[in-house]
Amino acid sequence: MHRQRVPKWHRPLLANVAGSFLLAYYVFLVASRFFEIGVLGLIDAFWACNVALLIASYGMLTRNSMVISGAIGLVSMAHVLWIIDVIGYAAMGFFPTQMASYLDKATPMMIATTLHHIWFIPLLLMVLFKNGRLGISGGLLSILLSSILIVICRFVLPLEYEGVYLNVNMSREMWKDIDFEPFHRFDPPGSPWWQYALFCLVISN
């Protein structure tokens, strides 16, 4: 993978402001959730959609378009499904993909700090405009980042905590609320965990 460079960064002030905002937003997100739900709030910090805030911030502040592209790839599938869920809930009263089903029990502050599922990718595309592209290197980086997160969450974080189902980044099994049976084809213990992890990487990237 190589770092995509441009002769001169277009709109550097936007990159600085957006990068600093994403960093501050991530800190506020984790702190507010820790204040509301304790340790579960800290565990939330490991979700890819939240980690991507840090990755994108680093990419903006260091003028690295490949890192910004990788952050987009890391969350693109989840963000699209999340938006489909919100639209489906508003129109039909239920979450079609279950990606955003946690909103049913979320507090107002938690809802406010999950809205980046809507504006995150548009913001990154705005910063990337004339500064880089969504290239192969960014896609490979997103796969690497996904792999690291799945391994960390599988071997560091629990499946449940105080009776709350976690399965952060679907590192243990496909999300249990997803009714589409083929997605559960490789769920452990029916298949080795490494096979499930590869399957998860394929469908999410």
Side-chain angles (χ1 to χ4, degrees):
M1 293 185 295
H2 64 282
R3 177 170 177 169
Q4 299 176 20
R5 291 184 178 274
V6 292
K8 183 178 181 181
W9 193 268
H10 183 63
R11 294 184 298 184
L13 179 60
L14 174 61
N16 287 337
V17 172
S20 300
F21 167 74
L22 290 178
L23 178 59
Y25 179 85
Y26 177 83
V27 172
F28 176 76
L29 182 155
V30 175
S32 65
R33 293 192 183 180
F34 176 70
F35 178 78
E36 284 198 317
I37 57 178
V39 173
L40 289 173
L42 298 179
I43 294 176
D44 272 358
F46 288 88
W47 280 99
C49 293
N50 297 332
V51 174
L53 295 166
L54 285 180
I55 295 169
S57 174
Y58 172 80
M60 292 176 184
L61 296 177
T62 60
R63 307 293 192 269
N64 192 323
S65 58
M66 183 190 72
V67 172
I68 299 173
S69 176
I72 292 175
L74 181 62
V75 302
S76 56
M77 176 66 76
H79 281 204
V80 168
L81 294 177
W82 193 92
I83 292 172
I84 290 174
D85 261 6
V86 171
I87 294 174
Y89 187 82
M92 300 175 288
F94 67 94
F95 299 104
T97 75
Q98 297 298 313
M99 181 63 69
S101 59
Y102 64 90
L103 293 176
D104 257 349
K105 301 178 181 178
T107 66
M109 179 58 73
M110 291 179 67
I111 293 175
T113 53
T114 199
L115 293 180
H116 58 280
H117 288 77
I118 297 174
W119 53 257
F120 179 74
I121 291 179
L123 175 63
L124 269 58
L125 291 175
M126 188 184 306
V127 173
L128 273 181
F129 181 64
K130 293 186 178 181
N131 291 314
R133 62 187 185 279
L134 301 177
I136 295 176
S137 57
L140 293 175
L141 178 60
S142 72
I143 294 173
L144 175 62
L145 293 170
S146 297
S147 302
I148 293 172
L149 282 174
I150 287 177
V151 171
I152 290 175
C153 294
R154 168 62 179 82
F155 294 102
V156 175
L157 301 180
L159 177 63
E160 295 185 0
Y161 181 80
E162 295 184 349
V164 178
Y165 180 72
L166 300 175
N167 192 25
V168 177
N169 293 316
M170 296 188 296
S171 58
R172 303 279 187 139
E173 60 189 12
M174 190 58 59
W175 196 254
K176 65 180 182 179
D177 289 336
I178 296 177
D179 295 328
F180 190 51
E181 192 277 333
F183 276 12
H184 295 274
R185 169 65 178 81
F186 295 97
D187 279 3
S191 299
W193 179 80
W194 66 267
Q195 288 184 4
Y196 164 74
L198 287 176
F199 174 71
C200 196
L201 287 172
V202 168
I203 65 172
S204 63
N205 287 281

